[in-house]
């Protein structure tokens, strides 16, 4: 197989919004396809009629696009192997159920959920792992017929061959072996006629020409079942790689507070897609370089050998770090839109670019931009204790000198500061801090030279007078 034939896929079930965990799975598959010049496919696994919802489908398409994970084949873009939603593939599945039944690889099962639960309980009580006891595996044609006539709705079960060892090389975890005798016959079609995950997922991968599947480690135990199914159907199996799970900082499962966040929530909080890409691509995958990578570079450096087997630890500080990096790089037009109405209402469009250049190093989220817009253009606010101390230390004369220096030099920062130094005899922090507090109300913040250049001269004068009055 040449690498151009590589096809990877993301196959979400629309039972909720995309979260960091499944987004990372999507990203790894997209990066792998891109790295090898192959295709990335999207398939919607909407067979769960109770939990699946159409609005989640719309949301996940939008979220993936927002992140830049465009699929070359799938919903909305089409392709040669559609339809790409499993709910529309019933006729295709019917054909494969028929084949399995015809070859006696599958049989109808009339056991009720209550009977199955009872059987599992009995097995557990005798210390055996619960698996299907085979009650319906050898029903005669007449017995089946009688049950059907009683109006029972059977499921369809796959007959797992006895005494086999299923072996495969997991592209992340290495060689794997499973004994088929540990796997009970499993349901491939529910009593309501809908396909079970094992079946639809494996059949679709084969029919859609998927060559590589990266998915969560929680699916590892499903793989031998799927390989047996594909073998029975004489369909090609993809190569599987099972990704280590993401855990919280304490090593436990991700919590809502830590990482178990939907992409929507992260987007609403102001995260930029490139920040998430840079973060997620390193969550369980190692790059040579720790610095910022553009999407094409993320793909170029992606390799299966670099995927870790140990659980990947979610680190919120790292995510925020990549967010600052993304903000540092975003172009002004985009940042302006990202900042939102709270900034647009305070900052006039003429000073837009100057404002962005001034506050950018201090920004991580739109709320930070709103904070600085308020400080530099909004109504005056009360000073913090530190701020008050800083201006009290220099007294009202300092601000009279500052007004004079400003009258003389305007926004020309160097001359203004030199002049103020001469007039007050102060330097360093003793000089800059009271000036900063007077102009911004804060003891930390954007570069002072830029602040002075950005603020209207009238506002600067007013701030200096006000600071003088506060300590007068
Ligand atoms: N629909 C399955 C899930 O969301 C897909 C598993 C797989 O990638 O094979 O877990």
């Amino acid at each position: 197989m040449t690498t151009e034939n590589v096809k990877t896929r993301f196959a979400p079930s629309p039972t909720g919004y995309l979260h960091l965990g499944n987004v990372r799975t999507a990203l790894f598959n997209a990066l792998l396809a891109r790295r090898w010049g192959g295709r990335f496919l999207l398939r919607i696994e909407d067979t769960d009629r109770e939990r699946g919802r159409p609005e989640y489908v719309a949301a996940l398409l939008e979220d993936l696009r927002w992140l830049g994970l465009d699929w070359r084949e799938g919903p909305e873009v089409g392709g040669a192997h559609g339809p790409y939603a499993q709910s529309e593939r019933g006729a295709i599945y019917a054909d494969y159920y028929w084949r399995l039944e015809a070859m006696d690889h599958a049989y109808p099962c009339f056991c009720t959920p209550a009977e199955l639960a009872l059987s599992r309980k009995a097995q557990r009580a005798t210390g055996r792992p619960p698996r299907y006891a085979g009650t319906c595996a050898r029903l005669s044609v007449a017995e089946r017929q009688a049950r059907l006539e009683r109006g029972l709705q059977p499921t369809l079960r796959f007959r797992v061959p006895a005494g086999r060892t299923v072996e495969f090389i997991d592209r992340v975890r290495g060689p794997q072996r499973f004994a088929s005798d540990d796997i009970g016959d499993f349901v491939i079609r529910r009593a309501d006629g809908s396909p079970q995950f094992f079946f639809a997922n494996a059949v679709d991968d084969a029919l859609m020409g998927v060559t590589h599947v990266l998915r969560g480690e929680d699916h590892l135990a499903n793989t031998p079942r799927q390989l047996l199914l594909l073998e029975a159907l004489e369909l090609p199996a993809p190569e599987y790689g099972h990704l280590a799970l993401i855990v919280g900082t304490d090593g436990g499962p991700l919590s809502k507070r830590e990482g178990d966040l939907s992409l929507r929530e992260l987007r609403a909080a102001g995260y930029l897609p490139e920040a998430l890409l840079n973060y997620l691509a390193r969550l369980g995958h190692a790059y040579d370089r720790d610095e910022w990578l553009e999407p094409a570079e993320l793909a170029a450096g992606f390799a299966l050998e670099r995927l870790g087997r140990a659980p990947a630890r979610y680190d919120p500080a790292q995510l925020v770090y990549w967010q600052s990096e993304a903000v540092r790089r975003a172009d002004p037009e985009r940042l302006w839109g990202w900042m939102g109405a709270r900034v647009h209402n305070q900052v006039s469009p003429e000073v837009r670019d100057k404002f962005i250049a001034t506050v950018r190093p201090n920004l991580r989220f739109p709320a930070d931009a709103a904070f600085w817009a308020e400080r530099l253009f909004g109504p005056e606010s009360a000073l913090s204790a530190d701020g008050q101390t800083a201006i009290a230390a220099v007294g009202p004369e300092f601000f009279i000198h500052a007004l004079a220096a400003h009258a003389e030099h305007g926004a020309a920062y160097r001359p203004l500061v030199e002049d103020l130094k001469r007039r007050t005899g102060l330097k360093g922090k003793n000089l800059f801090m009271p000036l900063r507090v007077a102009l911004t109300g804060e003891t930390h913040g954007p570069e002072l030279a830029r602040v002075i250049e950005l603020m209207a001269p009238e506002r600067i004068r007013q701030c200096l007078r006000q600071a003088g009055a506060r300590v007068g």
Side-chain angles (χ1 to χ4, degrees):
M1 181 176 61
T2 63
T3 54
E4 300 89 76
N5 295 335
V6 160
K7 196 187 276 187
T8 66
R9 51 77 163 169
F10 179 49
S13 308
T15 53
Y17 293 119
L18 288 180
H19 280 228
L20 282 185
N22 46 14
V23 169
R24 183 189 65 149
T25 302
L27 172 64
F28 284 179
N29 280 290
L31 291 176
L32 184 63
R34 193 150 176 201
R35 166 75 180 82
W36 283 343
R39 274 170 173 258
F40 175 54
L41 174 150
L42 178 66
R43 179 174 71 236
I44 307 298
E45 303 214 317
D46 52 353
T47 58
D48 186 337
R49 290 181 192 165
E50 270 155 37
R51 297 193 306 139
R53 296 231 303 266
E55 55 269 35
Y56 288 136
V57 177
L60 76 88
L61 300 185
E62 185 187 301
D63 288 352
L64 289 173
R65 287 220 166 88
W66 175 75
L67 206 53
L69 298 189
D70 295 291
W71 52 100
R72 294 256 308 274
E73 205 179 318
E76 293 181 350
V77 304
H81 307 285
Y84 292 96
Q86 290 186 329
S87 57
E88 294 165 26
R89 296 176 64 80
I92 300 170
Y93 301 145
D95 185 33
Y96 288 90
Y97 292 133
W98 180 83
R99 290 188 203 194
L100 287 171
E101 275 197 279
M103 294 183 296
D104 202 30
H105 287 308
Y107 57 85
C109 169
F110 299 89
C111 298
T112 64
E115 286 164 348
L116 294 170
L118 208 63
S119 155
R120 280 196 296 269
K121 203 170 155 197
Q123 295 183 47
R124 275 202 205 92
T126 56
R128 284 172 298 159
R131 79 178 64 106
Y132 183 59
T135 320
C136 295
R138 280 162 294 276
L139 295 181
S140 67
V141 175
E143 285 169 323
R144 278 181 197 159
Q145 199 52 39
R147 284 167 175 75
L148 286 172
E149 276 162 19
R150 290 205 329 257
L152 296 178
Q153 288 286 330
T155 60
L156 189 65
R157 263 183 208 275
F158 180 71
R159 195 188 295 282
V160 173
R164 288 271 311 275
T165 305
V166 183
E167 289 182 90
F168 67 97
I169 309 279
D170 187 288
R171 295 299 298 257
V172 180
R173 308 171 63 83
Q176 305 289 316
R177 277 168 78 93
F178 293 85
S180 73
D181 291 343
D182 290 340
I183 308 170
D185 293 353
F186 54 90
V187 172
I188 55 177
R189 188 181 62 209
R190 300 187 188 98
D192 68 2
S194 63
Q196 248 309 2
F197 164 75
F198 305 116
F199 172 85
N201 180 267
V203 166
D204 284 348
D205 280 340
L207 298 182
M208 293 177 180
V210 171
T211 61
H212 290 75
V213 169
L214 295 177
R215 61 181 180 182
E217 195 176 68
D218 46 328
H219 285 291
L220 182 62
N222 299 333
T223 303
R225 289 184 177 85
Q226 298 194 296
L227 291 172
L228 288 170
L229 250 173
L230 291 171
E231 181 190 278
L233 284 167
E234 296 174 23
L235 289 173
E239 300 212 29
Y240 291 98
H242 290 90
L243 304 167
L245 298 180
I246 304 176
V247 295
T249 39
D250 58 358
L254 283 187
S255 64
K256 184 78 187 155
R257 202 167 49 81
E258 263 204 348
D260 190 21
L261 294 167
S262 70
L263 211 54
R264 314 226 120 191
E265 289 169 294
L266 293 164
R267 179 179 175 181
Y271 279 97
L272 293 171
E274 301 84 351
L276 291 167
L277 294 176
N278 265 278
Y279 179 62
L280 289 173
R282 292 174 165 89
L283 195 54
H285 178 273
Y287 282 94
D288 277 338
R289 294 190 292 143
D290 276 339
E291 68 259 34
W292 179 263
L293 295 173
E294 293 298 328
E297 296 171 304
L298 287 172
F302 187 82
L304 291 172
E305 306 74 56
R306 294 176 162 272
L307 289 167
R309 291 187 199 184
R313 209 172 273 258
Y314 172 73
D315 180 353
Q318 280 293 319
L319 178 55
V320 172
Y321 166 78
W322 291 113
Q323 168 71 0
S324 324
E325 291 291 298
V327 170
R328 211 152 71 75
R329 288 169 170 81
D331 75 55
E333 188 73 40
R334 191 166 159 223
L335 275 189
W336 183 247
W338 169 85
M339 288 175 177
R342 276 175 70 199
V343 169
H344 303 169
N345 293 340
Q346 302 269 5
V347 182
S348 79
E350 301 88 73
V351 296
R352 180 192 97 165
D353 287 354
K354 262 192 190 172
F355 172 72
I356 292 174
T358 305
V359 301
R360 188 196 284 266
N362 300 77
L363 300 187
R364 291 185 307 195
F365 297 101
D368 303 324
F371 175 88
W372 287 112
E374 186 86 5
R375 288 293 173 282
L376 300 172
F377 301 101
E380 254 191 87
S381 48
L383 294 185
S384 65
D386 282 358
Q388 187 62 36
T389 311
I391 59 171
V394 290
E397 317 74 50
F398 178 91
F399 299 101
I400 295 168
H401 290 311
L403 276 162
H406 181 252
E408 181 96 17
H409 306 287
Y413 183 70
R414 285 271 139 235
L416 183 148
V417 164
E418 284 309 317
D419 193 6
L420 189 56
K421 228 185 238 179
R422 236 179 359 256
R423 289 170 191 264
T424 60
L426 295 170
K427 58 182 177 173
K429 199 176 162 201
N430 296 336
L431 178 97
F432 296 116
M433 191 57 88
L435 199 53
R436 172 181 291 288
V437 171
L439 298 182
T440 68
E442 296 297 315
T443 52
H444 297 279
E447 233 178 90
L448 211 45
R450 285 185 183 272
V451 167
I452 291 174
E453 212 193 304
L454 172 66
M455 288 171 75
E458 181 43 44
R459 172 145 183 138
I460 292 181
R461 286 195 288 275
Q462 187 198 323
C463 287
L464 294 172
R465 281 197 295 267
Q466 170 77 17
R470 272 181 159 142
V471 294

